[in-house]
Amino acid sequence: FTWGWRGTLWGRPEMADMAPASIIELHPERLSWAPGHTTPPKSVDGAFPLEAFDVCRGLTGSISEANFRYSVTHYGENAVGDAFGPLGLDSLLSFCRGLAVQTERSRGVVVYVSDSSESSRANAAVLLGAYLVFELAWSAHRVEEALGRHEASRTFPCSWGRKPSRNLTVKHCWQGCELALKQGWVDTSCLRSDEGTAYACAGWKDRIVTYDCAWLVPGFIMICADPVTTAADPNPETFSDVFPQQPVGDLTISTCFDGEDSKSKVGSTSPRSGLTSPCVGFVVESVEPDLPQVAGMASDALSTDTVCKEYRASFAPPSPKASGGPSDFVTFMQESGVAMVVRTNFNGESGMPQGGSYDSRGMERQGIKHYDILVEDHNGGLPQKKDIRRLLMVGPKADGDGAVAVHCKGGFGRSVVMACCLAIDRLDVPGAAMLGWVRIVRPGAVNTPSQEQMLMGLKGRSSIRSFANMGEAGAAQQGCCSVQ
């Protein structure tokens, strides 16, 4: 047989699905794919066999230490349930850089996966597709034609899931990568050097480790956990305060806590607040002072789809930061260009620190607009029509209103759905691609199958405005529909 440029047999595109043990040429004389091979395949052209998860071996600097293993930062392995992917953005970028270097060094490479498990095959398919999108500018459709429908239809369990329901496919992840490339959310120039890739990966990782946040749309829409849950974490790598350490009007606002295990010994103005995670049982001393209940805030005692942060008593020494970022949440928001914060979690729901969430007046007094759009964390954790409608009414435009940070308690469920809905409306993009993308940039995102199905059912701006009972002129967005 003769292989064509799309990785299929000439005149027989369906053969990519019919011959899983064949070697599929993707980039002439440079890159081939050996689906079904668990041992180094023999190539007639002398191409170098390369195991998919070993692509960074032998490279320089921190890029050589790329870890192609699924995890959710701040949570243990047992917490993620049956989820095994897709891998995070740092893995995708490291893979793309590693494979690019390997193809330049050799006469050609044949990528294979030594582990035949569904998790390894699905994750490898996403990585290889990301390379074809980011490095060769292929569309997701072209990737599917080349790698085959069988690879494209591989599925991932829902984040944190312990049920067999699956909606996210490898193809959705490819579509997310294509969307990110078209919208300019990924600067592929970082893939031209090991140092550039390592810097991009470190910046992405630092935001997650220190601030428990990630850009869904860089410079426009950020997703994060309730900052009180992150400030409460005794992990020395997370930020220590919600607000800057200074009096604000008639309030002295701080969540930096003194004590023997305090993350910050300097500038603390209140004792370490008593913070409890009922899911893991880590308790510190009592709260002082209690933050007042915010108007409209309430406890959600029926929470069942909750994700609880794990507070541990001991930690490894802090790793070097990509940047010397601020030690409080508000300053980080300001330096990130965030002009609005939307809170979707209730004050006293399960997993929140004792004393509840922050006082929104502190945000307003620091010049950050604040809105509470509260979504119950049970029965699938789905926002109601009125919630989506309000977000679209108050949320920023895509052309210079500043960025918005949307958070729930953990920053994985309700906030993710709301943030994706805003992006779908403002940029007129499909929900399925947004689902694939958010699972990559925010590992652990989307808590329930109902949330997955909701996003997949949104085809673009018109469908989300129809869902929210809004006309085309009903939302705040006008004009520009792209983010540079």
Side-chain angles (χ1 to χ4, degrees):
F1 297 116
T2 303
W3 293 99
W5 65 274
R6 286 186 174 179
T8 59
L9 291 171
W10 283 114
R12 298 289 302 281
E14 72 279 6
M15 287 299 290
D17 296 303
M18 295 174 62
S22 301
I23 296 178
I24 303 172
E25 186 179 65
L26 302 172
H27 195 189
E29 300 181 357
R30 296 193 66 182
L31 176 63
S32 298
W33 165 239
H37 287 266
T38 56
T39 58
K42 295 181 180 179
S43 172
V44 295
D45 298 323
F48 177 70
L50 183 64
E51 213 283 330
F53 301 111
D54 284 342
V55 296
C56 291
R57 184 172 296 175
L59 301 186
T60 60
S62 60
I63 195 74
S64 64
E65 302 172 0
N67 180 17
F68 297 106
R69 185 176 181 180
Y70 181 74
S71 64
V72 179
T73 304
H74 304 297
Y75 297 83
E77 291 184 6
N78 292 334
V80 301
D82 296 329
F84 55 73
L87 303 180
L89 183 62
D90 57 340
S91 294
L92 265 68
L93 296 180
S94 297
F95 180 89
C96 291
R97 174 58 187 168
L99 187 54
V101 172
Q102 299 289 6
T103 56
E104 292 171 358
R105 288 180 176 178
S106 308
R107 291 180 54 188
V109 298
V110 180
V111 178
Y112 71 100
V113 183
S114 60
D115 182 0
S116 61
S117 66
E118 63 171 338
S119 58
S120 293
R121 291 298 302 271
N123 281 322
V126 172
L127 293 175
L128 185 58
Y131 172 85
L132 297 173
V133 171
F134 292 152
E135 285 286 345
L136 304 184
W138 284 22
S139 67
H141 177 70
R142 183 174 173 185
V143 173
E144 181 181 13
E145 283 188 324
L147 301 188
R149 292 185 297 272
H150 184 65
E151 300 293 339
S153 61
R154 292 184 183 276
T155 58
F156 291 95
C158 187
S159 297
W160 317 95
R162 301 184 186 277
K163 297 180 180 179
S165 177
R166 297 188 180 193
N167 297 293
L168 179 71
T169 67
V170 166
K171 182 178 180 179
H172 294 142
C173 298
W174 295 340
Q175 291 172 335
C177 291
E178 179 186 2
L179 176 63
L181 183 65
K182 288 182 176 179
Q183 294 285 342
W185 302 343
V186 173
D187 182 1
T188 57
S189 65
C190 74
L191 302 175
R192 303 286 79 83
S193 68
D194 294 351
E195 295 77 14
T197 304
Y199 182 82
C201 292
W204 175 82
K205 189 69 174 179
D206 187 47
R207 283 186 288 273
I208 291 180
V209 170
T210 305
Y211 304 101
D212 201 1
C213 72
W215 284 111
L216 176 66
V217 179
F220 181 38
I221 302 175
M222 179 183 286
I223 301 167
C224 58
D226 188 305
V228 169
T229 69
T230 308
D233 194 336
N235 186 341
E237 291 197 296
T238 60
F239 65 82
S240 302
D241 304 273
V242 174
F243 298 96
Q245 284 294 306
Q246 59 185 31
V248 182
D250 59 348
L251 297 175
T252 298
I253 303 175
S254 172
T255 55
C256 182
F257 315 114
D258 279 332
E260 292 184 359
D261 61 346
S262 177
K263 293 184 291 186
S264 175
K265 303 291 184 181
V266 180
S268 299
T269 60
S270 64
R272 175 175 278 278
S273 293
L275 301 160
T276 305
S277 176
C279 297
V280 295
F282 183 88
V283 183
V284 195
E285 295 296 318
S286 61
V287 177
E288 172 107 25
D290 285 335
L291 291 177
Q293 287 278 346
V294 181
M297 295 287 284
S299 295
D300 179 12
L302 300 178
S303 178
T304 57
D305 294 321
T306 189
V307 174
C308 295
K309 191 166 290 185
E310 298 182 359
Y311 298 147
R312 294 186 289 121
S314 62
F315 299 89
S319 60
K321 299 279 192 236
S323 60
S327 62
D328 69 272
F329 177 78
V330 167
T331 301
F332 171 70
M333 291 288 103
Q334 294 169 333
E335 292 184 0
S336 299
V338 172
M340 178 187 298
V341 171
V342 176
R343 172 169 49 192
T344 68
N345 57 291
F346 290 77
N347 195 37
E349 63 186 47
S350 176
M352 283 296 296
Q354 183 180 340
S357 191
Y358 56 88
D359 188 335
S360 62
R361 292 176 296 175
M363 294 282 182
E364 297 280 357
R365 295 186 187 194
Q366 291 290 330
I368 298 176
K369 295 180 181 178
H370 190 278
Y371 294 92
D372 283 314
I373 306 178
L374 309 181
V375 180
E376 294 181 343
D377 191 23
H378 58 87
N379 297 327
L382 293 176
Q384 299 181 34
K385 295 177 184 288
K386 63 180 179 63
D387 302 323
I388 301 297
R389 184 163 58 249
R390 188 176 181 215
L391 178 64
L392 300 188
M393 291 295 294
V394 304
K397 306 174 187 177
D399 57 357
D401 275 359
V404 58
V406 186
H407 78 76
C408 53
K409 180 185 62 191
F412 296 114
R414 295 160 289 176
S415 59
V416 169
V417 174
M418 294 282 275
C420 286
C421 286
L422 183 63
I424 292 168
D425 177 78
R426 297 304 196 252
L427 308 177
D428 196 15
V429 295
M434 289 303 306
L435 173 62
W437 180 242
V438 75
R439 287 285 297 269
I440 291 170
V441 297
R442 180 70 171 159
V446 190
N447 289 358
T448 69
S450 297
Q451 292 174 344
E452 291 182 318
Q453 293 163 4
M454 176 181 175
L455 291 178
M456 292 171 63
L458 298 172
K459 307 304 179 184
R461 180 182 300 132
S462 61
S463 62
I464 195 168
R465 293 191 181 183
S466 175
F467 171 81
N469 295 328
M470 300 175 69
E472 282 297 312
Q477 188 269 348
Q478 297 176 2
C480 178
C481 296
S482 65
V483 174
Q484 302 300 323

